[in-house]
Each structure stands twice: as C-alpha cells, then as structure tokens.
C-alpha cells in the first residue's frame, strides 16, 4: 500500500450492524451527530439499515428504513447511502415494492447471502440492479467456503450483476493468510470488485482488513467503536487512525470529527457491552455460530467445556448425547 | 507452527501489568482464584508484581511483593513465579537486598529497560543472575529501535547473562512485518532465547504474538482480559483459545478453568475500563507515549487535532508554540 493509488473505499455500517444491539432504534440526536461527523471523514458509504417486509416481532425504524427515515438521512449526509436486504427473507418479486421508495435516496443495495442460496440470490441481485442501484453481493461464512465447491464454481455468475462481491467473515475466525487465500480464489473466478467485511471475535479485524487491502480489495467495512452483532466489527476509528498514520488518506484525518462521533457510541457501549469476550473468542476460533454459543452460555446450566464440546461435535455432524 | 515441537512458553503478567489500574492492590479472593485457575492452564510463568525500594506515594502490595506475599503466592501456585524490577529505579548494588527474600519463591526476575540504559541494565542483570534467578531482559520501545544503532550494536552483550531477551512493543504500534524484521535483527545479534511482550492499542496483540511465535520466539506474555497499562495487553484467554483451536496445546484447554479466572477480571474491567480507545489508538499508531496522550485528553481543554499535532511535533523534535 502506498498513498499514490490508494483508492479503497470505506463503508461505515454502524447503524445497520449496531442495530443488533438496539433493535434498530437509535436516538435522533445520536444519528444526527453521526451524519454530521461523517460529513467530515474520508468514508465513501454509510449503510443505514435494512429494508424488510413486516416481521412478527417488534423491530425499530432502521430495520425498515421507511421513506421518512430515508429522507431524514439523505438531508443530513453528503455520503452515498446504503441499505441491505436479508436475502433469506426477500425474493426477487419483492424487490420493486421494497426498493422503489429508496430511489433518489439510496445509492447501493447490499444483499446478505448464505452461499447455499447463491442461485436464488443472483435473481434478487438482478432485480435490484434493474432498479438502478449499485449492488453489493455479501456472501457470508467465508471461513467455510473452502469445502463448498459448488458455491465456489458459481462465483463467476456475479459478473455483470454485482458491483462488489463481498467476502464476509461471519464467525470472525479467519486469519490474514486465509484472507489472502480466499481473495485469490475469488479473484480467479471473477473480475468484479471485491470487498471485505470482518468481525472482531479474535481481534483480527484490523489486520485482516489491511491484508485484504494489500491483496487488492476495493471496499472494506467498519463500524464506530466496532458496534455490531456479537463481538462486533473492526472499528472505524481504528481503521482510519491506522490508515492516516500510514499516510494512506488523501487529507489529514479530522480527529475532532472522529472523536465527536466516537464519544456517544462509546457511552452506548458501556450499557450494551459489545466487543469480544471468551464466548465470542471460542465461537470465532472454532467457526461456531456465536448466537448458539451465547444461548448456551446464558443458560449457565452446562460447563463451558461441555458447551464447546457439544457445539464442536454438532459442527462436525457428530450427534451429542 | 505445528503441534509437534511447539515449546513456546506463556507468561501471564496480569497482577503485575494490571496493577497499573488498581495501584497494585488486589482482593485476596481474586488472587486466590487466579492462582487456582492457572494451576489447570498451560501457562509456564506467572509474574506477580514488582520488587521495589520504597516510593514516595502509596503503592499496593504487588508493587513491593514483601515476603508474606511471596509465601502466599508460592503456596497457591504450581507455576514458576516471576517478579520484575524497574531498571530506572534499581541499581546493581540494590539487587541483593531486594532479591534475597525472593530466593526459593521466585524463579525468574525480569528487568524493564529503556534501551538508552542498556549498559547500566547489564550490570544489574549480572547481579540478578549471580543470585541464581533466571533473567528476563525486557527492552522497551521496540518500534523505535530501528534508529538506535548504538543499542542494536550492544544486544550481543546479553549473551551468557540473560535467559530471555524480550522485545517489548511499549507503544502497541508495531505491525506483524515489523515483528519479523525486529526478530531477525535481534536473532542476528544473539543466540539468547527471545521473548515478545505486545500491547493492544491497535488490536494487534494476537497477530503480533502469533507472528513472533512463527518467527521462533521462546516465550510470549499475556494478561487475563488484557488487563494492563493503558490499552492493555493481548488477553491470555484469546491467546490460549487461538492456540487450542490451532491444535498447538499439548492437552485440550480447560475452558472451565479459563472462564473461572476470566469472569472476575471481566467484572473489574467494567469499573476500570482498560482496553483500546481512540486516544490509545492514536498513541499506538504514532508511537506517542500513551501517558501523555491521556493527560492531554483528560484536560479536555484542547481539541484532539491540536493534541495530536503537538505530540507528533514533539516526538519529531519540533518545538510546539
């Protein structure tokens, strides 16, 4: 990486990924301060939430991003705005109803995709593309791709449909050498621009993201204070501080603006407590779903040794007794 | 790294490095639980604190480690116990008075050394060695060594005196490639066993430590929950979980014991709040003393931009106005 030619784009997805902690409700002043601060920071995209069909249980406004939210965000921000669709809950036929209200407000629509649903996701991606949006094709569980030959053989089908093909380290368990290996596999399949979304279970968010940048990805994700599901993400302030110190940013980083956006989220973190802990480390290191690890740990009925043994056996397909 | 031949020793220095937050006072039950849990964990050494001449201000019992503390620790632990001396406050002539009470309780004495005081530290190390202890020669500020040709030329003088020559990333600002480079420099100077002590300002503690292990170091440090000065250290639970998942540990890791020692320190962390934050990231990324960054930030009188500019100029030798 040298400064000349550093054109990697940064996407901040604090409101979207952080919503897992607040049920996608955020104080209006917090959000206003978020947009105003980011107007002064070298970040290209802000992902503000999901668009979704109505769900049974209560979910806050950034899970649905209704038109008044889209308008408010657009008014406050000079960045490209992004929403994401949960591919498992959205079909191609739903795209128009969900996304027409986004036209003029949203620049990119991303899809969160289980590699097993690759084919189905492609047709959703086509429908999104037809509506005129940039398309981010975010494929989850990258630590498990190596054994998914069928999926790997399909990657090239995103050509001409996706603007970014994202490697998502859902378990937060990949190491830099695996980032390189997976990047090479994907690059050999497609010339679509590649993105990286890391989780921080093993505190490898920064090094994996810098490694992805060295490999040649075009876009990387981060969230303020790392706010995000489970152990959370690479923090935006760490990524920007590191890139700034390496002389990679075009202008000197505005630490006042950065500190202004970090402070209120750091306060929220003391209540919600995202960040890594022993359970998340275990789920990351063994590629176990952190939701399941957390559910077992919360019960506090079984010892950690037996939980880990049970989940490891489960992930290997061994029946636990 | 493969399991066969993995003989890297782990040193946990929670009480010593964590003492910066508690003023070296720890609840007796917390300490008892700490030793009992570690008796079941694959860690070779436990560093319990400093030995020191009396200081002006109050400092707790693990700063002085008087004989009754040494006895209590030894009684509770089946590990090798370690204390550290602050080289700047201790001369070779003090060694006997400070260390005679440690004989029979303490296996290794480490010295925290500014590379500028290398020569003086050598004579202290000789005095320590004569008393029959293993000697750890912990040299700070490794991110600045590249420009300290005089010091680099002296490293070979530790041959025959030190048991471990430690590279200490005091600013928490080195990247894996710098760990490799510095390891090679040191290895070319001496055949003494090499150690690595990382800080976590940029959340690079784990990857730097694994890199050091790949390079061939013989010993690495960590602390429970990363408790330690400023942004803190690589956490012992993360290191052990990662090594266990990679199949590097001789026996399956006892997650019950690990969880039992982590829980009470995690509770302490909610009061004391160690871990990285924007100020520590900045001090790490720019190799600025985090103590100074914190002092300026606490005043909250200057903007973060002007603090960083002032400290950066200071570290470059430019006078601030």
């Amino acid at each position: 990486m040298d400064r000349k030619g550093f054109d990697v784009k940064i996407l901040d997805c604090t409101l979207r990924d952080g919503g897992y902690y607040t049920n996608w409700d955020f104080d209006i002043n917090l959000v206003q301060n978020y947009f105003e601060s980011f107007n002064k920071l070298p970040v290209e995209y802000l992902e503000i939430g999901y668009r979704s069909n109505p769900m049974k249980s209560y979910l806050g406004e950034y899970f649905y991003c209704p038109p008044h939210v889209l308008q408010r965000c657009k008014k406050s921000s000079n960045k490209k705005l992004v929403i994401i669709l949960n591919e498992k809950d959205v079909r191609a036929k739903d795209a128009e109803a969900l996304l027409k209200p986004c036209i003029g407000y949203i620049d990119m629509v991303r899809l969160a995709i289980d590699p097993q649903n690759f084919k189905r996701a492609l047709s959703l991606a086509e429908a999104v593309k037809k509506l005129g949006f940039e398309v981010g094709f975010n494929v989850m569980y990258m630590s498990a791709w190596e054994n998914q030959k069928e999926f790997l053989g399909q990657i090239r089908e995103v050509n001409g449909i996706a603007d970014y093909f994202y490697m998502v380290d859902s378990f937060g368990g990949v190491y830099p050498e695996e980032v390189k290996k997976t990047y090479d596999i994907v690059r050999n399949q497609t010339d679509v621009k590649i993105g990286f979304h890391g989780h921080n279970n093993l505190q490898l968010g920064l090094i994996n993201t810098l490694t992805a940048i060295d490999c040649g990805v075009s876009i990387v994700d981060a969230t303020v204070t790392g706010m995000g599901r489970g152990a959370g993400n690479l923090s935006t302030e760490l990524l920007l501080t590191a890139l700034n110190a390496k002389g990679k940013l075009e202008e000197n980083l505005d630490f006042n603006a950065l500190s202004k956006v970090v402070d209120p989220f750091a306060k929220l973190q003391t209540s919600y407590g995202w960040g890594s802990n022993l359970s998340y480390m275990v789920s990351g290191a063994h590629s176990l779903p952190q939701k399941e690890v957390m559910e077992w740990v919360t019960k506090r009925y079984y010892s950690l040794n037996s939980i880990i043994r049970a989940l490891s056996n489960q992930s290997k397909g061994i029946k636990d007794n």
Side-chain angles (χ1 to χ4, degrees), chain A residues 16-33:
Chain A
R16 195 276 294 184
D17 231 342
Y20 282 95
Y21 277 94
T22 66
N23 213 11
W24 290 277
D25 275 321
F26 290 97
D27 177 82
I28 195 163
N29 295 317
L30 180 91
V31 173
Q32 189 59 29
N33 173 61

Side-chain angles (χ1 to χ4, degrees), chain A residues 3-4 18 75 88 102 136 150 191 242 255 260 280 298 317:
Chain A
R3 187 169 192 144
K4 194 180 128 206
K75 209 172 143 189
K88 74 177 163 59
C102 296
E150 192 188 341
D191 50 14
F255 281 103
K260 206 170 168 219
Y280 291 139
T298 313

Side-chain angles (χ1 to χ4, degrees), chain A residues 115-116 118 139-158 165 167 181-190:
Chain A
Q116 297 196 319
F118 184 91
V139 186
M140 301 185 285
Y141 314 127
M142 70 179 274
S143 55
W145 290 2
E146 214 173 346
N147 304 317
Q148 297 181 292
K149 301 294 175 206
E150 192 188 341
F151 156 68
L152 293 176
Q154 292 167 330
I155 290 178
R156 67 188 66 218
E157 299 177 37
V158 301
F165 179 93
M167 311 182 289
K181 224 165 81 179
T182 311
Y183 177 87
D184 288 341
I185 292 173
V186 174
R187 182 80 302 161
N188 283 332
Q189 293 285 325
T190 175

Side-chain angles (χ1 to χ4, degrees), chain A residues 11 45 51 81 86 99 111 154 158 169 185 270 309 317:
Chain A
L11 181 151
Y45 294 98
R51 283 284 286 172
L81 300 182
N86 248 336
L99 297 180
L111 313 175
Q154 292 167 330
V158 301
D169 177 19
I185 292 173
T270 62
R309 199 171 50 235

Side-chain angles (χ1 to χ4, degrees), chain A residues 288-289 292-293 296 306-316:
Chain A
L288 302 171
E292 289 186 41
V293 174
W296 285 69
S306 56
I307 294 171
I308 291 163
R309 199 171 50 235
L311 287 172
S312 298
N313 288 346
Q314 182 183 306
S315 77
K316 285 178 203 143

Side-chain angles (χ1 to χ4, degrees), chain A residues 115-225:
Chain A
Q116 297 196 319
N117 302 325
F118 184 91
K119 285 277 186 186
R120 195 177 69 188
L122 264 185
S123 59
L124 177 57
E126 278 182 300
V128 173
K129 189 76 194 159
K130 265 189 204 141
L131 289 162
F133 299 100
E134 287 185 85
V135 174
F137 205 85
N138 288 28
V139 186
M140 301 185 285
Y141 314 127
M142 70 179 274
S143 55
W145 290 2
E146 214 173 346
N147 304 317
Q148 297 181 292
K149 301 294 175 206
E150 192 188 341
F151 156 68
L152 293 176
Q154 292 167 330
I155 290 178
R156 67 188 66 218
E157 299 177 37
V158 301
N159 290 346
I161 299 172
D163 294 276
Y164 296 106
F165 179 93
Y166 256 92
M167 311 182 289
V168 179
D169 177 19
S170 308
F171 297 126
V174 304
Y175 284 83
E177 60 263 40
E178 292 165 88
V179 172
K180 281 185 204 162
K181 224 165 81 179
T182 311
Y183 177 87
D184 288 341
I185 292 173
V186 174
R187 182 80 302 161
N188 283 332
Q189 293 285 325
T190 175
D191 50 14
V192 163
K193 287 183 272 189
I194 299 176
F196 178 72
H197 177 101
H199 284 173
N200 214 28
N201 297 55
L202 303 181
Q203 297 183 6
L204 296 173
L206 179 64
I207 196 68
N208 282 341
T209 300
L210 294 178
T211 301
I213 290 173
D214 276 340
C215 287
V217 297
S218 303
I219 188 166
V220 295
D221 291 5
T223 67
V224 177
T225 67

Side-chain angles (χ1 to χ4, degrees), chain A residues 5 15-16 23 25 32 40 58 92 101 181 235-236 259 282 302:
Chain A
L15 299 179
R16 195 276 294 184
N23 213 11
D25 275 321
Q32 189 59 29
K40 299 176 187 166
Y58 174 79
K181 224 165 81 179
S235 76
T236 305
S259 147
V282 168
Y302 302 97

